[in-house]
Amino acid sequence: MATKAVHVSDVPNLDQVPENAASFSIFATRIPTGVDVSKVSDDSPKFVVIGHRGHGMNMLQSADRRMKTFKENSILSFNKAAKHSVDYIEFDVQVTEDDVAIIFHDNFILHQEHGAIFETRVTDLTLDEFFSYGPQREAGREGKTLVRKVNGNVVGWDVESDDHSCTLQEAFEKVDTKLGFNIELKFDDDVDYEEDHLVHVLQVILKVVYDHAEDRPIIFSSFQPDAALIMKKLQQRYPVYFLTNGGTELYDDVRRNSLEEAKKLAVGGGLDGIVSEVKGIFRNPSAVREIKESSLSLLTYGKLNNFPETVHVQRLMGVDGVIVDLVEEITRAVDEMNKRKVVGDVKGESSSGIELSFLLNLISQVIQH
């Protein structure tokens, strides 16, 4: 896809488009404004826990059984997460060639047949073709054997409890209504997208959300800067967050290379917050204050979020919430923090009397190795 400059001011705001406008009539349904994830109903601070790809991502190469319990990005995984005190589940949405919003993380889907590996871009598939991979809905029917590429190696997609693939609409219809959805707008880092393509894909996703969300809290997020900006221009009802590695990886697009650039993009584009790799904020703790002073919410993701200690430190730092893989363990730990009213005092101390500066220094040393 050829590169084309995105001029956000040229993208129509769907909240302002007349309901009888031909090209945007699909958005006529009105829904409540999105919630502020940094607050609860009584306006007291709320530390949010979000299940990564549901109950947790699949790390198929890991010896940890907890990372291979439930098939990620599936209805099964989403509803298993709902059994714990998570506020949201995070999942990845792409749009098929025949314009159906589906839930799948990887840009390419791989299957094994007669010893050979076949690789297809997910967005080049029709819905029926996408559903032909993995477990099938019909009893006795066998799908293409799913495999995954991990660090250059192909591994079997073996989990303890498998499930078939699903659409975004099915998630709204079949997942516990108490769960909020953090919908990651998934695009390929290696593709330059035209503005018209981005707008079209986001419209397909928005139609499903507008038709089925009802009162369910929704957050949109994306690593694709222009997709995040356009989504905010298309609608004002739901919060839109910019996803960033926080400087832990470098890209050709400078907007993706630091928390400072992320903040600049979010403020300039009227976004609601930032989701950073947790290492990014531990390497640059002052960025938390700067982001919050810019009236932005701050969430984090990453493997370090699977440790109660690092989650506790982030809470003391002022981070609004964490995306985690070990849903059961981290929700239990946060519930315990809530019971003990672990909020830290003005001296920056935790409930155990350990100085926050000491904890940050310790963590910063750990993540350098």
Side-chain angles (χ1 to χ4, degrees):
M1 299 174 182
T3 304
K4 182 178 179 181
V6 176
H7 302 290
V8 178
S9 60
D10 297 333
V11 179
N13 183 327
L14 296 184
D15 291 332
Q16 300 172 357
V17 175
E19 293 189 6
N20 61 354
S23 60
F24 296 100
S25 60
I26 59 174
F27 299 107
T29 303
R30 299 304 182 193
I31 53 182
T33 310
V35 299
D36 176 359
V37 299
S38 66
K39 301 288 184 182
V40 288
S41 57
D42 62 358
D43 289 331
S44 61
K46 167 64 173 169
F47 189 78
V48 177
V49 180
I50 302 173
H52 187 207
R53 306 183 198 172
H55 197 273
M57 69 178 290
N58 294 152
M59 291 186 64
L60 302 172
Q61 76 282 14
S62 174
D64 190 340
R65 289 180 57 189
R66 296 174 299 177
M67 307 303 291
K68 297 178 284 189
T69 305
F70 306 110
K71 178 70 169 290
E72 68 175 38
N73 278 335
S74 68
I75 302 296
L76 171 65
S77 182
F78 299 157
N79 282 324
K80 289 296 182 181
K83 295 183 179 299
H84 307 286
S85 54
V86 290
D87 302 283
Y88 288 75
I89 50 171
E90 180 271 352
F91 51 77
D92 310 270
V93 174
Q94 304 185 57
V95 172
T96 62
E97 189 178 45
D98 52 347
D99 285 344
V100 180
I102 53 96
I103 299 177
F104 194 77
H105 174 270
D106 301 352
N107 296 312
F108 292 87
I109 194 166
L110 283 69
H111 79 281
Q112 188 169 22
E113 189 174 332
H114 305 302
I117 303 298
F118 298 87
E119 182 178 89
T120 308
R121 184 176 289 279
V122 173
T123 53
D124 287 341
L125 298 170
T126 64
L127 179 63
D128 287 342
E129 290 169 338
F130 174 65
F131 279 164
S132 70
Y133 293 83
Q136 298 296 287
R137 296 155 186 266
E138 300 175 18
R141 186 172 179 178
E142 208 168 299
K144 298 175 182 176
T145 302
L146 271 178
V147 294
R148 197 175 211 174
K149 193 173 290 184
V150 179
N151 298 326
N153 300 315
V154 175
V155 297
W157 207 319
D158 300 318
V159 293
E160 292 182 12
S161 299
D162 214 338
D163 196 16
H164 57 70
S165 300
C166 65
T167 66
L168 177 60
Q169 179 175 333
E170 287 177 312
F172 278 113
E173 294 172 343
K174 299 178 181 180
V175 174
D176 193 318
T177 55
K178 75 177 183 182
L179 280 184
F181 285 175
N182 174 187
I183 300 174
E184 180 181 336
L185 310 167
K186 183 76 176 182
F187 295 94
D188 191 332
D189 291 341
D190 298 322
V191 174
D192 292 318
Y193 294 96
E194 293 184 354
E195 175 185 345
D196 289 347
H197 177 77
L198 290 174
V199 171
H200 175 75
V201 168
L202 298 180
Q203 287 176 343
V204 170
I205 295 169
L206 272 173
K207 182 183 188 312
V208 179
V209 174
Y210 276 36
D211 286 349
H212 300 280
E214 297 182 350
D215 295 328
R216 190 190 298 268
I218 304 292
I219 305 169
F220 291 114
S221 62
S222 186
F223 283 105
Q224 219 292 344
D226 295 320
L229 294 173
I230 292 173
M231 179 56 91
K232 190 60 183 180
K233 184 63 178 177
L234 288 175
Q235 59 82 45
Q236 298 292 318
R237 290 166 168 70
Y238 298 115
V240 180
Y241 285 56
F242 178 49
L243 271 159
T244 177
N245 287 299
T248 59
E249 296 180 49
L250 296 181
Y251 299 87
D252 291 336
D253 190 332
V254 296
R255 296 175 296 179
R256 302 186 59 183
N257 289 339
S258 69
L259 284 170
E260 177 59 32
E261 287 293 335
K263 186 187 75 170
K264 189 186 305 181
L265 177 84
V267 171
L271 304 185
D272 301 275
I274 293 169
V275 186
S276 173
E277 218 292 347
V278 61
K279 289 182 181 179
I281 68 162
F282 283 146
R283 290 174 177 173
N284 185 13
S286 63
V288 176
R289 183 188 69 254
E290 294 166 2
I291 289 169
K292 300 306 292 291
E293 287 177 350
S294 298
S295 299
L296 296 170
S297 180
L298 176 62
L299 307 174
T300 68
Y301 72 93
K303 294 179 182 178
L304 286 177
N305 279 352
N306 292 321
F307 297 92
E309 296 81 1
T310 53
V311 171
H312 174 58
V313 171
Q314 291 179 73
R315 182 171 180 165
L316 294 175
M317 294 171 68
V319 172
D320 293 301
V322 289
I323 300 174
V324 307
D325 292 301
L326 301 184
V327 167
E328 182 176 356
E329 291 81 352
I330 299 304
T331 53
R332 185 188 305 124
V334 171
D335 288 343
E336 285 299 316
M337 294 177 202
N338 289 334
K339 289 177 184 177
R340 296 194 307 267
K341 300 184 185 300
V342 180
V343 294
D345 64 20
V346 292
K347 296 180 181 178
E349 295 182 355
S350 71
S351 62
S352 60
I354 301 174
E355 288 191 4
L356 178 57
S357 59
F358 170 80
L359 292 172
L360 285 173
N361 183 56
L362 180 63
I363 291 173
S364 67
Q365 291 180 49
V366 171
I367 65 176
Q368 299 302 327
H369 295 83

